[in-house]
Amino acid sequence: MPRVKINQPASFFYKTSIEIGVGHLNYGNHLSNEHILSFAHEARLRFFTELGATEFDFWGTGLIQSDAEIVYKSEGHYQDIIDVYIDIAELSRVGFRVNYLMSNRTTGKDLAIAAVGIVCFNYAQKKVQDLPIPFKEYLDSIEKIIL
């Protein structure tokens, strides 16, 4: 079976940290796989909050996740600190891709890389909408974090 391949960016727009809690563990006593997407979602919401946006009011539109990919790199354990880096790429007329690097600060190893597709969506009208211009302008205006 071919492996999923995600291009890891060299620079990022945002970084946050999440501690692995007991509720994140599976029966193997390490980070459960579904929590990678939960950590990605949490990091994305923190990023949008700093922009003054939410997934329901993203400069006048909503957002909906269209797809997700994950490549697992190493284990995470209780109380490990995970640094989650976010890059925004592949902007289109109606959406964009969010790329994540999750790095385990406690072990010094990469935990996972992930990518999700995001589409602008009007929940009231149940239809796709254009990507807001202020979001594009914001991305053009900030300096990225280089690893």
Side-chain angles (χ1 to χ4, degrees), residues 75-76 80-82 102-111:
E75 292 181 338
D80 284 358
I81 304 298
I82 309 304
M102 297 184 192
S103 181
N104 189 327
R105 187 187 316 162
T106 307
T107 66
K109 296 179 179 178
D110 287 347
L111 179 73

Side-chain angles (χ1 to χ4, degrees), residues 14-128:
Y14 180 77
K15 174 190 170 194
T16 191
S17 300
I18 300 172
E19 182 176 352
I20 297 176
V22 70
H24 300 129
L25 304 179
N26 64 16
Y27 60 86
N29 204 30
H30 57 86
L31 180 65
S32 187
N33 61 8
E34 73 272 12
H35 288 292
I36 297 296
L37 278 180
S38 294
F39 285 10
H41 192 204
E42 177 67 28
R44 187 170 69 243
L45 290 179
R46 290 179 187 183
F47 177 46
F48 291 164
T49 297
E50 285 197 16
L51 301 179
T54 70
E55 290 185 334
F56 291 107
D57 185 7
F58 194 75
W59 287 279
T61 187
L63 299 176
I64 194 166
Q65 184 173 307
S66 60
D67 57 67
E69 299 174 304
I70 301 170
V71 175
Y72 302 97
K73 298 289 197 175
S74 68
E75 292 181 338
H77 295 94
Y78 179 64
Q79 292 187 323
D80 284 358
I81 304 298
I82 309 304
D83 292 325
V84 183
Y85 297 87
I86 289 179
D87 183 50
I88 306 296
E90 299 177 30
L91 275 69
S92 72
R93 184 181 65 79
V94 297
F96 53 94
R97 181 153 299 293
V98 184
N99 296 310
Y100 303 89
L101 168 62
M102 297 184 192
S103 181
N104 189 327
R105 187 187 316 162
T106 307
T107 66
K109 296 179 179 178
D110 287 347
L111 179 73
I113 55 175
V116 299
I118 301 291
V119 175
C120 298
F121 190 76
N122 183 314
Y123 283 89
Q125 297 176 0
K126 305 288 186 206
K127 68 178 194 173
V128 172

